[in-house]
Coordinates of all heavy atoms in Angstrom, one line a residue:
Q143 N -1.2 -19.2 -14.5 CA -1.4 -18.0 -15.3 C -0.5 -16.9 -14.6 O 0.2 -16.1 -15.3 CB -2.8 -17.5 -15.2 CG -3.1 -16.2 -16.0 CD -4.5 -15.7 -15.8 OE1 -5.3 -16.4 -15.2 NE2 -4.8 -14.5 -16.3
C144 N -0.5 -16.8 -13.3 CA 0.4 -15.8 -12.6 C 1.9 -16.1 -12.8 O 2.6 -15.2 -13.1 CB 0.0 -15.7 -11.1 SG 0.9 -14.5 -10.2
F145 N 2.2 -17.4 -12.7 CA 3.6 -17.8 -12.9 C 4.1 -17.3 -14.3 O 5.2 -16.7 -14.4 CB 3.8 -19.3 -12.7 CG 5.2 -19.7 -12.7 CD1 5.9 -19.9 -11.5 CD2 5.9 -19.9 -13.9 CE1 7.2 -20.2 -11.5 CE2 7.2 -20.3 -13.9 CZ 7.9 -20.5 -12.7
E146 N 3.3 -17.7 -15.3 CA 3.7 -17.3 -16.6 C 3.8 -15.9 -16.9 O 4.7 -15.4 -17.6 CB 2.8 -18.0 -17.7 CG 2.8 -19.5 -17.7 CD 4.2 -20.0 -18.1 OE1 4.8 -19.5 -19.0 OE2 4.7 -20.9 -17.4
A147 N 2.9 -15.2 -16.3 CA 2.9 -13.7 -16.4 C 4.2 -13.1 -15.8 O 4.9 -12.2 -16.3 CB 1.7 -13.0 -15.8
D148 N 4.5 -13.6 -14.6 CA 5.7 -13.1 -13.9 C 7.0 -13.6 -14.6 O 7.9 -12.8 -14.6 CB 5.7 -13.5 -12.4 CG 4.7 -12.8 -11.6 OD1 4.2 -11.7 -12.0 OD2 4.3 -13.2 -10.5
W149 N 6.9 -14.8 -15.1 CA 8.1 -15.3 -15.8 C 8.4 -14.5 -17.0 O 9.6 -14.2 -17.3 CB 7.9 -16.7 -16.2 CG 9.1 -17.5 -16.7 CD1 9.4 -17.7 -18.0 CD2 10.1 -18.2 -15.9 NE1 10.6 -18.4 -18.1 CE2 11.0 -18.7 -16.9 CE3 10.3 -18.4 -14.6 CZ2 12.1 -19.4 -16.4 CZ3 11.4 -19.1 -14.2 CH2 12.3 -19.7 -15.1
E150 N 7.4 -14.1 -17.7 CA 7.6 -13.3 -19.0 C 7.5 -11.9 -18.8 O 7.5 -11.0 -19.7 CB 6.5 -13.8 -20.0 CG 6.6 -15.3 -20.4 CD 7.8 -15.7 -21.1 OE1 8.5 -14.7 -21.6 OE2 8.2 -16.8 -21.0
R151 N 7.4 -11.4 -17.5 CA 7.3 -10.0 -17.2 C 6.0 -9.3 -17.7 O 6.0 -8.2 -18.2 CB 8.5 -9.2 -17.6 CG 9.8 -9.8 -17.1 CD 9.9 -10.0 -15.6 NE 11.2 -10.3 -15.1 CZ 11.5 -11.3 -14.3 NH1 10.6 -12.2 -13.9 NH2 12.7 -11.4 -13.8
G152 N 5.0 -10.0 -17.8 CA 3.7 -9.6 -18.3 C 2.8 -9.2 -17.1 O 3.1 -9.2 -15.9
K153 N 1.6 -8.7 -17.5 CA 0.6 -8.3 -16.5 C -0.2 -9.5 -16.1 O -0.7 -10.2 -17.0 CB -0.2 -7.1 -17.0 CG -1.2 -6.6 -16.0 CD -2.1 -5.4 -16.6 CE -3.1 -5.0 -15.6 NZ -3.9 -3.8 -16.1
F154 N -0.5 -9.6 -14.8 CA -1.4 -10.7 -14.3 C -2.7 -10.1 -13.8 O -2.7 -9.2 -13.0 CB -0.7 -11.5 -13.2 CG -1.7 -12.4 -12.5 CD1 -2.2 -13.5 -13.2 CD2 -2.0 -12.3 -11.1 CE1 -3.1 -14.4 -12.6 CE2 -2.8 -13.2 -10.5 CZ -3.3 -14.2 -11.2
D155 N -3.8 -10.6 -14.4 CA -5.1 -10.1 -14.0 C -6.1 -11.3 -14.0 O -6.5 -11.7 -15.0 CB -5.6 -9.0 -14.9 CG -7.0 -8.5 -14.5 OD1 -7.5 -8.9 -13.4 OD2 -7.6 -7.7 -15.2
P156 N -6.4 -11.8 -12.8 CA -7.3 -13.0 -12.7 C -8.8 -12.6 -12.9 O -9.6 -13.5 -13.0 CB -7.0 -13.5 -11.3 CG -6.7 -12.3 -10.5 CD -5.9 -11.4 -11.5
G157 N -9.1 -11.4 -12.9 CA -10.4 -10.9 -13.2 C -11.2 -10.9 -11.9 O -10.8 -11.3 -10.8
T158 N -12.5 -10.5 -12.1 CA -13.4 -10.4 -10.9 C -13.9 -11.7 -10.4 O -14.3 -11.8 -9.2 CB -14.6 -9.5 -11.3 OG1 -15.3 -10.1 -12.4 CG2 -14.2 -8.0 -11.7
E159 N -13.7 -12.7 -11.2 CA -14.1 -14.1 -10.7 C -13.0 -14.9 -10.2 O -13.1 -16.1 -10.2 CB -14.8 -14.8 -11.9 CG -16.0 -14.1 -12.5 CD -17.1 -13.9 -11.4 OE1 -17.4 -14.8 -10.7 OE2 -17.7 -12.7 -11.4
A160 N -11.9 -14.2 -9.8 CA -10.7 -15.0 -9.3 C -11.1 -16.0 -8.1 O -11.8 -15.6 -7.2 CB -9.7 -14.0 -8.8
R161 N -10.6 -17.2 -8.2 CA -10.9 -18.2 -7.2 C -9.9 -18.0 -6.0 O -10.3 -18.2 -4.9 CB -10.7 -19.6 -7.7 CG -11.5 -19.9 -9.0 CD -13.0 -19.9 -8.7 NE -13.8 -20.2 -9.8 CZ -14.3 -21.4 -10.2 NH1 -14.1 -22.4 -9.3 NH2 -15.0 -21.6 -11.2
L162 N -8.7 -17.5 -6.3 CA -7.7 -17.4 -5.3 C -7.6 -16.0 -4.8 O -8.2 -15.0 -5.3 CB -6.4 -17.9 -5.8 CG -6.4 -19.4 -6.2 CD1 -5.1 -19.8 -6.9 CD2 -6.7 -20.3 -5.0
I163 N -6.8 -15.8 -3.7 CA -6.6 -14.5 -3.1 C -5.2 -14.0 -3.5 O -4.2 -14.7 -3.1 CB -6.7 -14.6 -1.5 CG1 -8.2 -15.2 -1.2 CG2 -6.5 -13.2 -0.9 CD1 -8.3 -15.5 0.2
W164 N -5.1 -12.9 -4.2 CA -3.9 -12.4 -4.7 C -3.6 -11.0 -4.2 O -4.5 -10.2 -4.1 CB -3.9 -12.3 -6.2 CG -4.0 -13.6 -6.9 CD1 -5.2 -14.2 -7.4 CD2 -3.0 -14.6 -7.2 NE1 -4.9 -15.4 -7.9 CE2 -3.6 -15.7 -7.9 CE3 -1.6 -14.6 -7.0 CZ2 -2.8 -16.8 -8.3 CZ3 -0.9 -15.6 -7.5 CH2 -1.5 -16.7 -8.1
C165 N -2.3 -10.8 -3.9 CA -1.9 -9.3 -3.6 C -0.9 -9.0 -4.7 O -0.1 -9.8 -5.1 CB -1.3 -9.2 -2.3 SG -2.4 -9.6 -0.9
P166 N -0.9 -7.8 -5.2 CA -1.7 -6.6 -4.7 C -3.1 -6.5 -5.5 O -3.4 -5.3 -5.9 CB -0.8 -5.4 -4.9 CG 0.0 -5.8 -6.1 CD 0.1 -7.3 -6.1
I167 N -3.9 -7.5 -5.6 CA -5.0 -7.4 -6.4 C -6.4 -7.4 -5.6 O -7.1 -6.4 -5.6 CB -5.1 -8.6 -7.5 CG1 -3.8 -8.4 -8.4 CG2 -6.4 -8.6 -8.3 CD1 -3.6 -9.6 -9.3
N168 N -6.6 -8.5 -4.9 CA -7.9 -8.6 -4.2 C -7.7 -9.0 -2.7 O -8.7 -9.4 -2.1 CB -8.8 -9.6 -4.9 CG -8.3 -11.0 -4.9 OD1 -7.2 -11.3 -4.4 ND2 -8.9 -11.9 -5.6
G169 N -6.5 -9.0 -2.2 CA -6.2 -9.6 -0.9 C -6.9 -8.9 0.3 O -7.6 -9.6 1.1
R170 N -6.8 -7.6 0.3 CA -7.4 -6.9 1.5 C -8.9 -7.1 1.5 O -9.6 -7.4 2.5 CB -7.0 -5.4 1.5 CG -7.6 -4.7 2.7 CD -7.3 -3.2 2.6 NE -5.9 -2.9 3.0 CZ -5.0 -2.5 2.2 NH1 -5.3 -2.3 0.9 NH2 -3.7 -2.2 2.6
E171 N -9.5 -6.9 0.3 CA -11.0 -7.1 0.2 C -11.4 -8.5 0.6 O -12.4 -8.6 1.3 CB -11.4 -6.8 -1.3 CG -12.9 -7.0 -1.5 CD -13.2 -7.0 -3.1 OE1 -12.3 -6.6 -3.8 OE2 -14.4 -7.3 -3.4
R172 N -10.7 -9.5 0.1 CA -11.2 -10.9 0.4 C -11.0 -11.2 1.9 O -11.8 -11.9 2.5 CB -10.4 -11.9 -0.5 CG -10.7 -11.9 -1.9 CD -12.0 -12.6 -2.2 NE -12.0 -14.0 -1.9 CZ -11.5 -14.9 -2.7 NH1 -11.1 -14.7 -3.9 NH2 -11.5 -16.2 -2.2
L173 N -9.9 -10.8 2.5 CA -9.7 -11.1 4.0 C -10.7 -10.3 4.8 O -11.2 -10.8 5.8 CB -8.3 -10.8 4.4 CG -7.3 -12.0 4.3 CD1 -7.1 -12.5 2.9 CD2 -6.0 -11.6 5.0
A174 N -10.9 -9.0 4.4 CA -11.9 -8.2 5.2 C -13.3 -8.9 5.1 O -14.0 -9.0 6.1 CB -11.9 -6.8 4.6
R175 N -13.7 -9.3 3.9 CA -15.0 -10.0 3.7 C -15.1 -11.3 4.5 O -16.1 -11.6 5.2 CB -15.2 -10.3 2.3 CG -16.7 -10.7 1.9 CD -16.8 -11.2 0.5 NE -16.0 -10.4 -0.5 CZ -15.7 -10.8 -1.7 NH1 -15.9 -12.1 -2.0 NH2 -15.0 -10.1 -2.5
F176 N -14.0 -12.0 4.6 CA -14.0 -13.3 5.3 C -14.2 -13.0 6.8 O -15.0 -13.7 7.5 CB -12.6 -14.0 5.1 CG -12.4 -15.3 5.8 CD1 -12.9 -16.5 5.1 CD2 -12.0 -15.4 7.1 CE1 -12.7 -17.7 5.8 CE2 -11.8 -16.7 7.7 CZ -12.2 -17.8 7.0
I177 N -13.5 -12.0 7.4 CA -13.7 -11.6 8.8 C -15.1 -11.2 9.0 O -15.7 -11.5 10.0 CB -12.6 -10.5 9.2 CG1 -11.2 -11.1 9.1 CG2 -12.9 -10.1 10.6 CD1 -10.1 -10.1 9.2
D178 N -15.6 -10.4 8.1 CA -17.0 -9.9 8.3 C -18.1 -10.9 8.3 O -19.1 -10.7 8.9 CB -17.3 -8.8 7.1 CG -16.6 -7.6 7.2 OD1 -16.0 -7.3 8.3 OD2 -16.6 -6.8 6.2
T179 N -17.8 -12.1 7.7 CA -18.8 -13.1 7.7 C -18.8 -14.0 8.9 O -19.6 -14.9 9.1 CB -18.7 -13.9 6.4 OG1 -17.4 -14.5 6.4 CG2 -18.9 -13.1 5.2
A180 N -17.7 -13.9 9.7 CA -17.6 -14.8 11.0 C -18.7 -14.4 11.9 O -19.0 -13.3 12.1 CB -16.3 -14.5 11.6
K181 N -19.4 -15.5 12.5 CA -20.5 -15.3 13.3 C -20.3 -15.6 14.8 O -20.8 -15.0 15.8 CB -21.7 -16.1 12.8 CG -22.3 -15.6 11.5 CD -23.4 -16.5 11.1 CE -24.1 -15.9 9.8 NZ -23.2 -15.9 8.7
H182 N -19.4 -16.6 15.0 CA -19.2 -17.2 16.4 C -17.8 -17.1 16.8 O -17.4 -16.6 18.0 CB -19.8 -18.6 16.5 CG -21.2 -18.7 16.0 ND1 -22.3 -18.1 16.6 CD2 -21.7 -19.3 14.9 CE1 -23.4 -18.4 16.0 NE2 -23.1 -19.1 14.9
T183 N -16.9 -17.7 16.1 CA -15.5 -17.8 16.5 C -14.5 -17.4 15.3 O -14.9 -17.7 14.1 CB -15.1 -19.2 16.9 OG1 -15.3 -20.2 15.8 CG2 -15.9 -19.6 18.1
L184 N -13.4 -16.9 15.6 CA -12.4 -16.6 14.6 C -11.0 -16.8 15.2 O -10.7 -16.2 16.3 CB -12.6 -15.1 14.2 CG -11.7 -14.6 13.0 CD1 -12.1 -15.4 11.8 CD2 -11.9 -13.1 12.8
F185 N -10.3 -17.8 14.7 CA -8.9 -18.0 15.0 C -8.0 -17.3 14.0 O -8.2 -17.6 12.8 CB -8.5 -19.4 15.1 CG -9.1 -20.2 16.3 CD1 -10.3 -20.8 16.4 CD2 -8.3 -20.2 17.5 CE1 -10.8 -21.4 17.5 CE2 -8.7 -20.9 18.6 CZ -10.0 -21.5 18.6
V186 N -7.0 -16.5 14.4 CA -6.1 -15.8 13.5 C -4.7 -16.1 13.9 O -4.4 -15.8 15.1 CB -6.4 -14.3 13.4 CG1 -5.5 -13.7 12.3 CG2 -7.9 -14.0 13.3
Q187 N -3.9 -16.6 13.0 CA -2.5 -16.8 13.2 C -1.8 -16.0 12.2 O -1.9 -16.2 11.0 CB -2.1 -18.3 13.2 CG -2.7 -19.1 14.2 CD -2.2 -20.5 14.2 OE1 -1.5 -21.0 13.2 NE2 -2.4 -21.4 15.2
N188 N -0.9 -15.1 12.7 CA -0.2 -14.2 11.7 C 1.0 -13.6 12.5 O 0.9 -13.4 13.7 CB -1.0 -13.1 11.1 CG -0.6 -12.7 9.8 OD1 0.4 -12.0 9.6 ND2 -1.2 -13.1 8.7
E189 N 2.1 -13.3 11.8 CA 3.2 -12.5 12.4 C 2.9 -11.1 12.7 O 3.4 -10.5 13.6 CB 4.5 -12.7 11.5 CG 5.0 -14.1 11.4 CD 6.2 -14.1 10.5 OE1 7.3 -13.9 11.0 OE2 6.0 -14.2 9.3
R190 N 2.2 -10.4 11.8 CA 2.1 -9.0 11.9 C 0.6 -8.5 11.7 O -0.1 -9.0 10.9 CB 2.9 -8.4 10.7 CG 4.4 -8.6 10.9 CD 5.1 -8.4 9.5 NE 5.0 -7.0 9.0 CZ 5.4 -6.7 7.9 NH1 6.0 -7.6 7.1 NH2 5.3 -5.5 7.5
Y191 N 0.3 -7.6 12.7 CA -1.1 -7.0 12.7 C -0.9 -5.5 12.6 O -0.9 -4.8 13.5 CB -1.8 -7.4 14.0 CG -2.0 -8.9 14.1 CD1 -1.0 -9.8 14.5 CD2 -3.3 -9.4 13.8 CE1 -1.2 -11.2 14.6 CE2 -3.5 -10.8 13.9 CZ -2.5 -11.7 14.3 OH -2.7 -13.0 14.4
Q192 N -0.9 -5.1 11.3 CA -0.5 -3.6 11.1 C -1.5 -2.9 10.1 O -1.5 -1.7 10.1 CB 0.9 -3.6 10.6 CG 1.9 -4.1 11.5 CD 3.3 -4.3 10.9 OE1 3.5 -4.1 9.7 NE2 4.3 -4.6 11.7
D193 N -2.3 -3.7 9.4 CA -3.1 -3.0 8.4 C -4.4 -2.5 9.0 O -5.1 -3.2 9.7 CB -3.5 -4.1 7.3 CG -4.3 -3.4 6.2 OD1 -3.7 -2.7 5.4 OD2 -5.5 -3.5 6.1
A194 N -4.6 -1.2 8.8 CA -5.7 -0.5 9.5 C -7.1 -1.1 9.2 O -8.0 -1.3 10.1 CB -5.7 1.0 9.2
V195 N -7.3 -1.5 8.0 CA -8.6 -2.1 7.6 C -8.9 -3.4 8.2 O -9.9 -3.7 8.8 CB -8.7 -2.2 6.0 CG1 -9.9 -3.0 5.6 CG2 -8.6 -0.9 5.3
I196 N -7.8 -4.3 8.3 CA -8.0 -5.6 8.9 C -8.2 -5.4 10.4 O -9.0 -6.1 11.0 CB -6.8 -6.5 8.5 CG1 -6.7 -6.7 7.0 CG2 -6.9 -7.8 9.3 CD1 -7.9 -7.3 6.3
L197 N -7.4 -4.5 11.0 CA -7.5 -4.3 12.4 C -9.0 -3.8 12.7 O -9.6 -4.3 13.7 CB -6.6 -3.2 12.9 CG -5.1 -3.6 13.0 CD1 -4.2 -2.4 13.2 CD2 -4.9 -4.7 14.1
E198 N -9.5 -2.9 11.9 CA -10.9 -2.4 12.1 C -11.9 -3.6 12.0 O -12.8 -3.7 12.8 CB -11.2 -1.4 11.1 CG -12.7 -0.9 11.2 CD -13.0 -0.1 9.9 OE1 -12.4 -0.4 8.8 OE2 -14.0 0.7 10.0
R199 N -11.7 -4.5 11.1 CA -12.6 -5.6 10.9 C -12.5 -6.6 12.1 O -13.6 -7.1 12.5 CB -12.3 -6.4 9.6 CG -12.6 -5.6 8.3 CD -14.0 -5.0 8.3 NE -14.6 -4.9 7.1 CZ -14.3 -4.0 6.2 NH1 -13.5 -3.0 6.5 NH2 -15.0 -3.9 5.0
L200 N -11.3 -6.8 12.6 CA -11.2 -7.6 13.8 C -11.9 -7.0 15.0 O -12.6 -7.7 15.8 CB -9.8 -8.0 14.1 CG -9.0 -8.8 13.1 CD1 -7.5 -8.8 13.3 CD2 -9.6 -10.3 13.1
V201 N -11.7 -5.7 15.2 CA -12.4 -5.0 16.2 C -13.9 -5.1 16.1 O -14.7 -5.4 17.1 CB -12.0 -3.6 16.3 CG1 -12.9 -2.7 17.2 CG2 -10.5 -3.4 16.7
R202 N -14.4 -4.9 14.9 CA -15.9 -5.0 14.7 C -16.4 -6.4 15.0 O -17.5 -6.6 15.5 CB -16.2 -4.6 13.3 CG -16.1 -3.1 13.0 CD -16.5 -2.8 11.5 NE -16.4 -1.4 11.2 CZ -16.9 -0.9 10.1 NH1 -17.5 -1.6 9.2 NH2 -16.7 0.4 9.9
A203 N -15.6 -7.4 14.6 CA -16.0 -8.8 14.9 C -16.2 -9.0 16.4 O -17.2 -9.6 16.8 CB -15.0 -9.8 14.3
A204 N -15.2 -8.6 17.1 CA -15.3 -8.7 18.6 C -16.5 -7.9 19.2 O -17.2 -8.5 20.0 CB -14.0 -8.2 19.2
E205 N -16.8 -6.8 18.6 CA -17.9 -5.9 19.1 C -19.2 -6.6 18.8 O -20.2 -6.3 19.5 CB -17.8 -4.5 18.6 CG -16.6 -3.8 19.1 CD -16.5 -2.3 18.5 OE1 -17.1 -2.1 17.5 OE2 -15.8 -1.5 19.2
R206 N -19.3 -7.4 17.7 CA -20.6 -8.0 17.4 C -20.7 -9.4 18.1 O -21.6 -10.1 17.8 CB -20.8 -8.1 15.9 CG -19.9 -9.0 15.1 CD -20.4 -9.1 13.7 NE -19.5 -10.0 12.9 CZ -18.4 -9.6 12.3 NH1 -18.1 -8.4 12.3 NH2 -17.7 -10.5 11.6
G207 N -19.8 -9.7 18.9 CA -19.9 -10.9 19.7 C -19.1 -12.1 19.2 O -19.2 -13.2 19.8

Side-chain angles (χ1 to χ4, degrees):
Q143 182 187 353
C144 183
F145 187 96
E146 291 301 312
D148 284 344
W149 188 267
E150 300 297 336
R151 306 311 195 227
K153 183 179 180 181
F154 170 62
D155 182 6
T158 57
E159 302 300 318
R161 304 297 180 95
L162 299 173
I163 303 169
W164 296 97
C165 296
I167 298 170
N168 62 6
R170 183 182 283 110
E171 177 191 350
R172 288 283 298 273
L173 265 67
R175 191 191 315 161
F176 183 88
I177 295 168
D178 288 347
T179 58
K181 293 179 173 63
H182 307 293
T183 61
L184 189 63
F185 285 89
V186 187
Q187 294 186 348
N188 208 284
E189 292 178 89
R190 294 162 60 187
Y191 295 80
Q192 298 167 354
D193 187 75
V195 173
I196 300 302
L197 289 170
E198 178 195 22
R199 290 312 208 281
L200 291 172
V201 168
R202 287 186 181 186
E205 289 179 342
R206 67 174 180 268

